[in-house]
């Protein structure tokens, strides 16, 4: 029903906006809750057992994270008499809140729910989960000052490594995208302490790249690597384009995805964290490997096919192809 959909999407926007606009922890928490409650019906809309299972898992993790956040902010108010987000000073609630937000966006080692949840959703809701749902917790992470840098660096490094290793063994595209999301978030958290503007840049480019990747898979109607292997009969132009999008997601120069990684490595080196930068760069190679594998399946193998009855890609809907054109262009050539 369009009315219900409109209401839910409004709720989604409202929750994020409230969190953006709040300087009080209680209001921020409320925004996150509205956000979670709005996306849950969207996730379960197809009434598929897997979708319902994914929704349940998502609800439980998000409720846990929100409860942790509320507990930490109450503890902070109790210890310091301060509800202001900017004024956090006590290390205990600070650490707790950082961990709660990490659980909310799925940073390693609190990442295990993300691939499971994403695998149960359709590509459109999956896209919302991978992009829009990250905004509110990120706004809070950017606002809290003087967190112990060790925590953030540990979370970030763990995420880039887990995102690299985890995606290697996957054949399902949504799980690969989930691990890629974990890895990208790791990069953003790594630099959060030293250069917040770079974190925002990385977040923005990640959004553009994820958007085009999800749209490509949606146009192809593919959810596994096997389905991609026969996509050259459905959409030949798209098949030659997708590897570029995927390699950009992996961070290969001269594509867009290289830009945030390049700047982040430079900033880490400036901060005398060369070993950290080296580890992060090596973990990016892991991600690159599984993107390359998908690209190989798409473009360098010819699969047997009898897809004569498939509608040609030219007749697909313009409301899908126009954003796709814009997003893929941005993903490939923004550097």
């Amino acid at each position: 029903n369009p009315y219900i959909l409109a209401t839910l999407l409004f709720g989604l926007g409202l929750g994020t906006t409230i969190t953006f606009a709040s300087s009080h922890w209680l209001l921020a928490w409320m925004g996150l809750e509205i956000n979670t409650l709005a996306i849950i019906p969207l996730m379960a809309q197809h009434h598929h057992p897997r979708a319902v299972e994914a929704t349940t898992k998502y609800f439980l993790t998000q409720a846990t994270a929100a409860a942790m956040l509320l507990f930490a902010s109450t503890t902070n108010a109790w210890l310091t008499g301060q509800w202001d987000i900017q004024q956090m000073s006590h290390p205990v609630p600070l650490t707790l809140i950082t961990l709660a937000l990490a659980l909310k966006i799925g940073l390693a080692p609190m990442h295990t729910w993300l691939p499971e949840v994403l695998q149960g959703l359709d590509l459109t809701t999956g896209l919302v989960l991978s992009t829009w749902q990250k905004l509110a917790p990120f706004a809070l992470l950017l606002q809290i000052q003087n967190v112990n840098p060790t925590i953030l660096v540990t979370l970030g490094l763990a995420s880039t490594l887990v995102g690299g290793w985890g995606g290697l063994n996957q054949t399902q595209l949504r799980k690969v995208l989930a691990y890629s999301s974990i890895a990208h978030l790791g990069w953003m958290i790594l630099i959060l302490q030293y250069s917040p503007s770079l974190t925002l840049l990385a977040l923005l480019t990640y959004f553009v790249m994820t958007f085009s990747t999800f749209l490509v898979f949606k146009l192809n109607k593919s959810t596994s690597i096997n389905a991609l292997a026969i996509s050259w009969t459905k959409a030949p132009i798209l098949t030659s384009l997708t590897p570029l999008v995927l390699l950009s997601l992996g961070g290969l120069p001269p594509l867009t995805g290289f830009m945030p990684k390049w700047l982040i490595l430079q900033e880490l080196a400036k901060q005398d964290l060369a070993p950290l930068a080296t580890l992060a760069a090596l973990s990016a190679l892991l991600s690159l490997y599984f993107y390359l594998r998908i690209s190989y399946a798409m473009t360098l193998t010819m699969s047997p096919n009898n897809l004569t009855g498939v509608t040609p890609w030219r007749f697909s809907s313009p409301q899908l192809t126009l954003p796709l054109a814009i997003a893929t262009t941005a993903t490939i050539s923004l550097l």
Side-chain angles (χ1 to χ4, degrees), residues 132-208:
W132 186 257
Q133 290 300 88
K134 308 259 189 271
L135 281 173
F138 244 98
L140 294 176
L141 272 172
L142 280 164
Q143 280 181 73
I144 49 179
Q145 312 292 327
N146 53 35
V147 187
N148 186 353
T150 321
I151 295 173
L152 286 179
V153 164
T154 312
L155 284 172
L157 202 56
S159 297
T160 54
L161 289 166
V162 163
W165 287 123
L168 292 180
N169 211 15
Q170 303 297 336
T171 55
Q172 296 293 329
L173 292 177
R174 282 165 295 184
K175 281 197 173 172
V176 167
L177 283 170
Y179 280 112
S180 127
S181 167
I182 294 165
H184 277 89
L185 287 170
W187 280 86
M188 293 170 216
I189 295 297
L190 211 52
I191 200 67
L192 187 67
Q193 204 68 51
Y194 309 109
S195 171
S197 52
L198 271 186
T199 300
L200 281 174
L201 175 77
L203 190 66
L204 203 64
T205 48
Y206 165 70
F207 276 11
V208 172

Side-chain angles (χ1 to χ4, degrees), residues 184 187 198 200-213 243-264 288 325-335:
H184 277 89
W187 280 86
L198 271 186
L200 281 174
L201 175 77
L203 190 66
L204 203 64
T205 48
Y206 165 70
F207 276 11
V208 172
M209 296 186 295
T210 310
F211 194 68
S212 55
T213 315
L244 286 176
V245 171
L246 286 167
L247 291 179
S248 179
L249 202 58
L252 202 69
L255 304 168
T256 310
F258 176 57
M259 175 171 54
K261 290 194 161 122
W262 185 19
L263 294 169
I264 285 172
L288 203 56
I326 297 168
T328 41
T329 313
T331 301
I332 291 169
S333 53
L334 268 185
L335 183 65

Side-chain angles (χ1 to χ4, degrees), residues 24-288:
H24 191 288
W25 272 117
L26 207 54
L27 204 58
W29 169 79
M30 196 176 73
L32 292 172
E33 284 295 276
I34 294 173
N35 218 343
T36 307
L37 289 177
I39 199 171
I40 278 175
L42 289 174
M43 292 167 79
Q45 65 188 337
H46 294 302
H47 300 299
H48 190 277
R50 281 202 181 160
V52 175
E53 182 191 347
T55 312
T56 313
K57 286 176 178 171
Y58 183 75
F59 174 70
L60 289 172
T61 48
Q62 296 297 310
T64 312
M68 263 176 79
L69 190 88
L70 193 60
F71 172 67
S73 48
T74 318
T75 312
N76 182 57
W78 178 47
L79 290 169
T80 61
Q82 192 61 267
W83 277 102
D84 203 302
I85 295 180
Q86 306 272 0
Q87 306 291 334
M88 295 280 288
S89 54
H90 202 283
V92 177
L94 260 173
T95 308
L96 262 176
I97 278 177
T98 313
L99 291 177
L101 292 171
L103 176 60
K104 237 181 183 350
I105 55 178
L107 284 171
M110 286 83 83
H111 67 283
T112 37
W113 60 273
L114 188 59
E116 299 291 322
V117 167
L118 209 54
Q119 182 57 33
L121 306 178
D122 66 316
L123 289 168
T124 321
T125 324
L127 174 61
V128 174
L129 188 70
S130 304
T131 53
W132 186 257
Q133 290 300 88
K134 308 259 189 271
L135 281 173
F138 244 98
L140 294 176
L141 272 172
L142 280 164
Q143 280 181 73
I144 49 179
Q145 312 292 327
N146 53 35
V147 187
N148 186 353
T150 321
I151 295 173
L152 286 179
V153 164
T154 312
L155 284 172
L157 202 56
S159 297
T160 54
L161 289 166
V162 163
W165 287 123
L168 292 180
N169 211 15
Q170 303 297 336
T171 55
Q172 296 293 329
L173 292 177
R174 282 165 295 184
K175 281 197 173 172
V176 167
L177 283 170
Y179 280 112
S180 127
S181 167
I182 294 165
H184 277 89
L185 287 170
W187 280 86
M188 293 170 216
I189 295 297
L190 211 52
I191 200 67
L192 187 67
Q193 204 68 51
Y194 309 109
S195 171
S197 52
L198 271 186
T199 300
L200 281 174
L201 175 77
L203 190 66
L204 203 64
T205 48
Y206 165 70
F207 276 11
V208 172
M209 296 186 295
T210 310
F211 194 68
S212 55
T213 315
F214 268 99
L215 285 185
V216 162
F217 292 158
K218 194 173 167 55
L219 198 65
N220 267 344
K221 299 184 176 58
S222 342
T223 51
S224 70
I225 296 184
N226 284 347
L228 275 184
I230 54 167
S231 68
W232 62 274
T233 48
K234 297 187 225 170
I237 290 190
L238 212 59
T239 309
S240 51
L241 194 73
T242 315
L244 286 176
V245 171
L246 286 167
L247 291 179
S248 179
L249 202 58
L252 202 69
L255 304 168
T256 310
F258 176 57
M259 175 171 54
K261 290 194 161 122
W262 185 19
L263 294 169
I264 285 172
L265 290 174
Q266 185 186 2
E267 184 60 39
L268 284 172
K270 272 186 199 163
Q271 301 284 347
D272 286 337
L273 294 169
L276 193 64
T278 313
L279 265 173
L282 288 175
S283 71
L285 288 177
L286 294 166
S287 304
L288 203 56

